[in-house]
Amino acid sequence: MTDTISLPNSLRSQPDASGHFGAFGGRYVAETLMPLILELEKVYREARQDPAFDAEFTQLLRSYVGRPNPLYYAGRLTEALRAGAEPGKGAKIYLKREELNHTGAHKINNCIGQALLARRMGKRKVIAETGAGQHGVATATVAALFGMECKIFMGAKDVERQKPNVFRMKLLGAEVIPVVSGSQTLKDAMNDALRHWVSNVHDTFYIIGTAAGPHPYPELVRDFQSIIGKEAREQILEIEGRLPDMLIAPVGGGSNAIGLFHPFLDDAEVKMIGVEAAGEGLAGKHAASLAGGKSGVLHGNRTYLLQDEDGQITEAHSISAGLDYPGIGPEHSWLHEIGRVQYMPITDDEALASFQKLSALEGIIPALESAHAIASAEKVAPTLDADQILIVNLSGRGDKDIFTVASALGVEI
Amino acid sequence: MTSMTDRLSARFAACSNAGRAALITFVTAGDPTVAATPAILDALVEGGADVIELGMPFTDPMADGPAIELANLRSLGSGTKTKDIFALATAFRLRHPETPLVLMGYANPMLVRGSQWFADQCRAAGVDGVICVDVPPEEDAEIGPALRAAGIHLIRLATPTTDAARLPTVLNGASGFLYHVAVAGITGKQQAAQAAVEQAVAKLKAATNLPIAVGFGVRSAEQAAAIGRVADGVVVGSAIVDIVGSHGDAAAPFVRDFVATLRGALNANSPHFRETAA
Ligand SMILES: Cc1ncc(COP(=O)(O)O)c(C=O)c1O
């Protein structure tokens, strides 16, 4: 968090002073929230100048989250893909092991950072939205750690689908509020979290779970998650003595992906792929906002959204609850438009196959979100030369998904 | 645009001359159906509404409480499209040439075809003003310039969190009237303390010549009367939307009777009314 180099013409100097990444981002919130968001920005700027803030963040990532996590060479996956590739093809695949973090995903990095900001602002209550429950569990965890009161908004359908995480959040002392409005999933949970926030601005901090929402959230979530890319950069330089040729990460709202990508954005030789959830395929129900949506305004930012011709938001679908959202963080919309990052759709079926493949080949059960990135790597690695290097963000572990996967495979457990 | 010839300014001036606050009523377009909406709008006018706020339904009405959220979903569920809303506005303008009509809603449906398209549609339909809940002054460029060029009032919101330092930002570019959101929260929930409303209105009046309308949480004739004693306009939304919610297609007469009680309460504040009644 201390080493952002402001190069002229850098791709790393976004957003601008008003929170825009090119045509995206901004602050589209009700007037009631504006003063709070302006104050959050001010407090965040001060915190970044304060070495004590960074020291505490770094210390907690080390002693509580378990960072740095390894960059692991996935030799068996690499060899399996080489076996099906032309001679001399099949890139070396490394996995960034975010799934080894406390609570099992990258989400905790951001929650620690935002809880420190909440404390700095004197707020004793935190709220969050959650889909699969990963961000909810991470938020409930930091709330316990900081002794804060915690409410988690979760679509009623997701409460039903994700019972183990609901129980975890309760064990951690959080109140889980089922959201019965709209489609009763992640976007409605976010609506209700915003409704609660606007009614409790005086004492409540909203810990947004991804690199989206009104400025400064996309920026600060990215900065907290950039620890992923900073570590990966150091680790690959140490192991291979050079930068990777390609990075691949799954994109829901986009926080793990931007966290991995951002420290490499100015290295033109490093290509990047963000993986969107194509659900049943782009012709059917999916959650690929870039491939199947267009620019619009929702949840505080201008970004690509799944919507109809009247601007009504359409329901997303993905087998992976963490990708099941009709929008995407604004920085990704910008990186897509300027062509710096390629975005690839991966279907439910492809992700399910990769979920099983990685488990069997490497002994690592990936989150369904991360399995989308593995599926993308399976397509791309065989097209690259064998001496090329590819890093995949293993954003979370798959324990939470075993019921979903079993049921998709027709297995009763 | 703040000349006295436009419908909105003319109506506030007329109410002020009559010694009472303007009654501003909100319903959601297409709730429960597009076919049922004209009769409900007529009922608002017959009951004595001065200004009509017509809600543009959105799938994700983040600033609204359950009453208006459900109205949004009822409307969309019955198939309301943006073109239907402009057709409702156009027909309303023909039936009620003098009654100001304000569209209220969220940015995405307004901006999806571009702000120029939206402003042109508003002008063609005889819409007088627009309230866009999730475009704060900081993002004015999204919608403000196109509306101003088309002669449509962009109505801004001031809230309990808008402090003195920020108020000029809100007022810069505001026109038509200033909408004071009486509670820090969503529509239809809590109700503001009268003393807080009075304080807020006094502060706003010191800062602008725009009429001040107060809304969010105003549900009864008594509340409307109390607020009407200090503000230039009183906005009632969820209480009317609830009536539409419970009576559906048959809501019009119930809406008219309820609005008439609100209007009666505001009239009773007027010195002229008291003279004639005496
Ligand atoms: C393991 C994992 N990966 C990825 C995501 C997607 O979120 P984001 O795109 O913000 O990283 C989630 C969200 O729940 C997740 O749990």
Side-chain angles (χ1 to χ4, degrees):
Chain A
M1 295 222 333
T2 48
D3 66 349
T4 302
I5 316 149
S6 294
L7 300 170
N9 301 322
S10 168
L11 296 178
R12 302 178 60 215
S13 57
Q14 302 277 327
D16 66 16
S18 59
H20 292 90
F21 302 85
F24 304 101
R27 293 173 277 217
Y28 297 83
V29 295
E31 172 62 22
T32 308
L33 292 176
M34 266 317 295
L36 188 70
I37 281 172
L38 293 170
E39 175 167 69
L40 173 59
E41 187 184 352
K42 195 172 128 260
V43 170
Y44 181 57
R45 299 269 170 261
E46 287 162 8
R48 293 207 49 172
Q49 299 303 316
D50 178 359
F53 182 87
D54 187 47
E56 190 171 9
F57 179 62
T58 306
Q59 169 58 20
L60 283 169
L61 288 184
R62 216 169 262 153
S63 61
Y64 190 73
V65 175
R67 304 202 73 96
N69 57 46
L71 184 69
Y72 163 72
Y73 171 55
R76 300 231 312 141
L77 178 63
T78 299
E79 288 307 328
L81 294 175
R82 278 179 185 165
E86 313 248 305
K89 294 281 181 186
K92 278 179 102 166
I93 300 176
Y94 284 86
L95 303 178
K96 181 60 179 154
R97 303 283 306 271
E98 289 299 306
E99 102 282 8
L100 294 176
N101 294 339
H102 181 42
T103 71
H106 66 291
K107 297 284 179 190
I108 189 94
N109 304 329
N110 166 49
C111 290
I112 299 256
Q114 289 198 47
L116 286 170
L117 285 178
R119 199 183 61 191
R120 216 177 159 93
M121 292 176 83
K123 312 278 187 195
R124 306 269 321 149
K125 298 180 180 176
V126 295
I127 58 168
E129 83 294 341
T130 196
Q134 289 307 102
H135 175 59
V137 167
T139 302
T141 298
V142 299
L145 176 66
F146 284 82
M148 291 170 173
E149 202 181 306
C150 179
K151 286 189 169 64
I152 303 293
F153 293 85
M154 189 169 186
K157 270 190 204 157
D158 290 332
V159 170
E160 208 37 53
R161 287 193 288 197
Q162 309 286 341
K163 286 192 179 128
N165 271 345
V166 172
F167 185 64
R168 277 185 195 105
M169 288 184 265
K170 290 181 178 167
L171 275 178
L172 292 161
E175 183 188 348
V176 179
I177 301 172
V179 173
V180 293
S181 61
S183 59
Q184 309 193 355
T185 59
L186 180 56
K187 104 182 150 67
D188 310 282
M190 192 145 186
N191 290 340
D192 264 24
L194 283 164
R195 289 183 181 113
H196 179 88
W197 196 28
V198 84
S199 312
N200 295 274
V201 275
H202 57 286
D203 66 356
T204 300
F205 188 100
Y206 184 7
I207 298 187
I208 294 185
T210 191
H215 177 65
Y217 279 101
E219 177 187 345
L220 66 85
V221 173
R222 174 199 72 199
D223 291 347
F224 293 139
Q225 291 293 4
S226 289
I227 186 69
I228 303 172
K230 281 180 209 156
E231 280 179 12
R233 197 184 165 91
E234 275 176 29
Q235 289 166 323
I236 201 72
L237 286 174
E238 194 184 311
I239 302 168
E240 293 277 356
R242 70 178 184 86
L243 291 177
D245 297 282
M246 187 178 278
L247 308 173
I248 300 184
V251 178
S255 67
N256 85 85
I258 200 69
L260 175 64
F261 296 168
H262 196 258
F264 295 93
L265 281 179
D266 287 331
D267 302 303
E269 69 272 33
V270 181
K271 296 197 170 58
M272 302 176 189
I273 296 180
V275 184
E276 291 196 286
E280 298 167 355
L282 292 181
K285 292 193 288 175
H286 64 83
S289 326
L290 293 176
K294 62 176 180 170
S295 176
V297 174
L298 181 70
H299 292 154
N301 53 183
R302 176 172 277 289
T303 194
Y304 273 74
L305 299 171
L306 300 180
Q307 54 183 314
D308 69 13
E309 73 284 359
D310 272 351
Q312 305 297 347
I313 306 305
T314 49
E315 265 175 48
H317 164 79
S318 169
I319 189 168
S320 139
L323 306 182
D324 197 352
Y325 179 71
I328 184 169
E331 193 161 12
H332 287 288
S333 290
W334 175 67
L335 291 168
H336 165 69
E337 287 220 333
I338 64 170
R340 177 65 183 93
V341 178
Q342 307 301 312
Y343 292 85
M344 178 189 278
I346 288 290
T347 65
D348 287 353
D349 288 346
E350 290 168 329
L352 271 172
S354 295
F355 182 94
Q356 298 167 77
K357 184 161 188 163
L358 192 74
S359 302
L361 277 178
E362 296 286 353
I364 299 172
I365 301 176
L368 272 171
E369 294 80 12
S370 318
H372 283 72
I374 300 293
S376 166
E378 287 183 44
K379 291 189 180 188
V380 172
T383 69
L384 301 178
D385 292 340
D387 61 358
Q388 291 192 292
I389 299 167
L390 197 165
I391 298 178
V392 180
N393 204 12
L394 206 72
S395 55
R397 66 174 183 234
D399 307 46
K400 68 183 174 64
D401 294 315
I402 53 171
F403 299 102
T404 308
V405 172
S407 117
L409 300 177
V411 178
E412 280 208 33
I413 52 175
Chain B
M1 268 202 358
T2 44
S3 79
M4 302 305 275
T5 54
D6 74 88
R7 272 182 291 261
L8 209 43
S9 309
R11 182 60 63 107
F12 274 103
C15 291
S16 166
N17 286 338
R20 65 170 177 90
L23 176 59
I24 303 168
T25 57
F26 172 96
V27 291
T28 298
D31 174 28
T33 61
V34 170
T37 301
I40 292 171
L41 295 178
D42 291 350
L44 296 173
V45 176
E46 286 161 22
D50 293 295
V51 179
I52 308 296
E53 272 181 22
L54 187 59
M56 292 182 70
F58 183 43
T59 38
D60 295 85
M62 290 147 299
D64 286 299
I68 294 178
E69 186 196 356
L70 287 173
N72 278 251
L73 298 180
R74 284 194 298 269
S75 171
L76 293 173
S78 71
T80 305
K81 302 284 180 223
T82 298
K83 68 170 171 21
D84 301 321
I85 298 166
F86 282 113
L88 286 170
T90 304
F92 177 87
R93 180 53 61 235
L94 291 173
R95 296 197 306 282
H96 305 283
E98 304 296 332
T99 306
L101 182 68
V102 171
L103 287 184
M104 178 163 187
Y106 293 83
N108 206 47
M110 293 184 182
L111 298 176
V112 68
R113 295 176 179 90
S115 61
Q116 191 58 53
W117 180 89
F118 182 68
D120 289 346
Q121 293 289 307
C122 286
R123 180 163 54 183
V127 168
D128 303 287
V130 168
I131 302 172
C132 186
V133 177
D134 52 350
V135 173
E138 281 75 2
E139 303 293 346
D140 184 75
E142 282 277 9
I143 193 167
L147 290 177
R148 284 179 204 107
I152 312 284
H153 292 291
L154 175 67
I155 292 147
R156 286 265 174 78
L157 306 155
T159 71
T161 59
T162 312
D163 61 16
R166 181 168 168 78
L167 187 54
T169 306
V170 170
L171 291 172
N172 179 19
S175 74
F177 61 92
L178 185 66
Y179 189 142
H180 175 60
V181 173
V183 292
I186 51 180
T187 54
K189 280 278 185 172
Q190 316 98 306
Q191 137 183 1
Q194 177 68 13
V197 172
E198 291 181 7
Q199 246 182 4
V201 171
K203 265 195 271 177
L204 297 175
K205 288 203 160 187
T208 178
N209 292 325
L210 288 173
I212 313 294
V214 176
F216 274 49
V218 186
R219 299 193 64 93
S220 71
E222 294 69 39
Q223 273 176 287
I227 291 172
R229 270 177 222 119
V230 292
D232 304 304
V234 181
V235 189
V236 181
S238 297
I240 301 172
V241 167
D242 277 339
I243 296 174
V244 177
S246 32
H247 296 281
D249 280 341
F254 299 95
V255 167
R256 186 191 55 222
D257 292 350
F258 177 62
V259 171
T261 66
L262 297 172
R263 174 61 186 271
L266 293 182
N267 282 349
N269 285 339
S270 159
H272 308 293
F273 179 83
R274 278 190 229 120
E275 276 159 30
T276 40

